[in-house]
DNA sequence: GTGATTTAATCAAACGTTTGTTTTAAATAA
DNA sequence: TTATTTAAAACAAACGTTTGATTAAATCAC
């Protein structure tokens, strides 16, 4: 029953197509991937795409849906804990610092480093920047919940109602400070003459970006004053 | 000679192709635009693409090169003025506040509102997020100069050497707070139930994002304290 | 249990269309 | 004329999709 290998042949080719689709769509984008490439690299037959998913777009949609399902453990519980922490920190805004620091650490590790996300993160970034017709799958599944949680953080820190548009805009600016290191990674690599991310570089980025984010909403990192003394 | 209309037939079809290419590539992306679509919407002939640009990719390259040329007046002088201002503000970091505020106002108006940039901005964003083989044209022409200027601002405010990697990372986080409103505009629109940007909404975003950026590097907006009093 | 039947899945081949490019010849300007 | 520029047709290659035969597995009657 609960084996790693699929129950029958059908599920196996289905999963092989989903896996190849995730990787290829992530690297090259939907339009640039051909059905023949998908079947070649997944070791399946050309007709399997239509049989299992009703066509190329059906496969793409299934890839997005599977992504939302598979990433649930990485987001759902964490975001819930943050919402809970906010309720307990109404008196002192500084109590939210570790919450934000923790979120930043998780997101950066997940999006820039984690092997599990190495194809999934770029695909989310791709849809983030150039939404396809199936964008809503990712938006409703992953993006909106994260955005709403960050909005709640901003609202708590700024002491404004969560439905104040400023809070969503603030949240957007915060998220911008995070996703830019994923979306525009090539720009940063060129600027710093890097050939990619390493754990050390991601750690450095995480530290700096966390300071930047905390300061941007008027918080200081738990240690000392904002940015630096002087 | 210096008429608005091109000197001869050749330049006219050339410009028509560049114009249609800019618009179509911007909206749909390189792969999704066909040569027939380009010639139909530009009112030219199929053979003109090969004759004038050597092919579809040559046209795309020419579009990027033309973009860099046409946007020069909007960036070159402004960035130079900022570099000059930095040299004059070594004593007091707060002197850089109006410099940053001015830059933010220009960038937001340009990228979210200006008709001149309505096709150019999305194309830059597209290359920004998913670099093509011709990315270097935009990078060297527009992105790197802007990134270096923002790095210089960060270095001046943080009182660190410009070649300290932290300054480039800080600059990247600052730019992230700006471009996220262009790249991920759809996300913000969905969150706030907007159907697009209006001058009022852009003004609001500009205000909030400018506060966010200033705070992120430890500056306060010229008026009062960071974020709010309390 | 065994053989017959149905269902599900895979396969190679080919479908018609569209892709980017090239060729050919007519039209235009100098 | 002579060199450009345009228009239309034609090119091979690649596209997503469909077909019909075939294989493997599950279901059934007995």
């Amino acid at each position: 029953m609960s084996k790693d290998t699929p129950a029958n042949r059908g599920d196996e080719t289905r999963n092989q197509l989903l896996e190849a689709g995730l990787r290829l769509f992530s690297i090259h984008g939907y339009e640039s991937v051909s059905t023949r490439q998908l079947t070649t690299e997944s070791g399946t037959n050309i007709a399997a795409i239509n049989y299992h998913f009703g066509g190329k777009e059906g496969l793409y949609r299934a890839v997005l849906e599977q992504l939302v399902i598979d990433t649930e453990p990485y987001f759902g519980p964490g975001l819930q804990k943050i919402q809970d922490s906010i309720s307990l920190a109404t008196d002192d805004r500084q109590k939210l610092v570790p919450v934000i620091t923790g979120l930043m650490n998780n997101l950066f590790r997940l999006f820039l480093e984690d092997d599990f996300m190495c194809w999934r993160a770029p695909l989310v970034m791709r849809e983030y920047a150039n939404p396809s017709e199936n964008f809503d799958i990712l938006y409703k599944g992953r993006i909106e919940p994260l955005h709403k949680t960050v909005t709640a953080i901003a609202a708590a820190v700024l002491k404004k109602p969560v439905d104040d548009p400023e809070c969503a805009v603030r949240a957007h600016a915060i998220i911008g400070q995070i996703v830019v290191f994923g979306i525009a990674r090539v720009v940063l690599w060129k600027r710093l003459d890097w050939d990619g991310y390493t754990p050390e570089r991601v750690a450095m980025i995480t530290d700096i970006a966390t300071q930047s984010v905390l300061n941007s909403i008027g918080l200081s990192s738990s240690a000392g004053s904002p940015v630096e003394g002087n």
Side-chain angles (χ1 to χ4, degrees), chain A:
Chain A
M1 278 231 181
S2 58
K3 280 181 65 181
D4 253 37
T5 48
N8 51 53
R9 303 182 300 152
D11 287 354
E12 187 175 343
T13 60
R14 231 188 96 94
N15 287 338
Q16 284 170 341
L17 276 172
L18 283 173
E19 195 181 341
L22 172 65
R23 184 169 45 84
L24 292 173
F25 289 138
S26 168
I27 299 173
H28 304 105
Y30 177 78
E31 304 273 357
S32 302
V33 178
S34 71
T35 51
R36 284 166 182 82
Q37 201 178 352
L38 285 163
T39 53
T40 301
E41 301 218 12
S42 64
T44 62
N45 186 269
I46 182 91
I49 295 176
N50 266 286
Y51 182 80
H52 287 284
F53 302 99
K56 184 184 173 187
E57 197 190 323
L59 170 58
Y60 185 67
R61 187 166 32 240
V63 166
L64 295 185
E65 284 163 356
Q66 197 62 47
L67 190 156
V68 172
I69 294 171
D70 292 341
T71 52
E72 168 62 20
Y74 293 82
F75 288 86
L79 296 188
Q80 186 54 54
K81 274 178 73 176
I82 292 176
Q83 296 278 5
D84 296 342
S85 303
I86 293 173
S87 324
L88 303 172
T90 46
D91 53 328
D92 183 10
R93 301 187 303 185
Q94 205 68 20
K95 278 184 184 169
L96 289 169
V97 171
V99 174
I100 297 169
T101 306
L103 176 65
M104 297 286 290
N105 274 301
N106 283 337
L107 288 179
F108 273 106
R109 187 165 27 79
L110 213 53
F111 274 87
L112 306 186
E113 225 177 76
D114 202 307
D115 274 348
F116 173 76
M117 291 292 276
C118 75
W119 304 126
R120 292 177 177 87
L123 188 57
V124 174
M125 300 290 178
R126 198 175 272 278
E127 281 285 332
Y128 205 86
N130 304 115
S132 74
E133 291 183 0
N134 304 297
F135 176 61
D136 262 0
I137 298 171
L138 283 189
Y139 178 75
K140 283 291 174 190
R142 286 283 154 264
I143 297 174
E144 191 185 67
L146 176 62
H147 209 289
K148 282 188 172 174
T149 300
V150 178
T151 304
I153 294 176
V157 174
L158 301 171
K159 299 194 172 169
K160 302 206 172 188
V162 282
D163 55 339
D164 184 335
E166 174 174 350
C167 295
V169 174
R170 285 278 189 171
H172 210 63
I174 290 172
I175 290 171
Q177 291 174 78
I178 302 168
V179 297
V180 71
F181 292 97
I183 288 181
R185 59 180 68 193
V186 176
V187 173
L188 186 68
W189 293 351
K190 278 178 176 277
R191 279 288 284 123
L192 291 175
D193 203 28
W194 289 355
D195 54 354
Y197 284 137
T198 65
E200 294 76 24
R201 288 168 181 168
V202 171
M204 168 196 156
I205 289 172
T206 305
D207 276 352
I208 297 172
T210 302
Q211 276 185 44
S212 182
V213 164
L214 286 173
N215 288 342
S216 75
I217 48 176
L219 291 176
S220 54
S221 40
S222 52
S225 57
V227 183
E228 57 169 3
N230 188 37

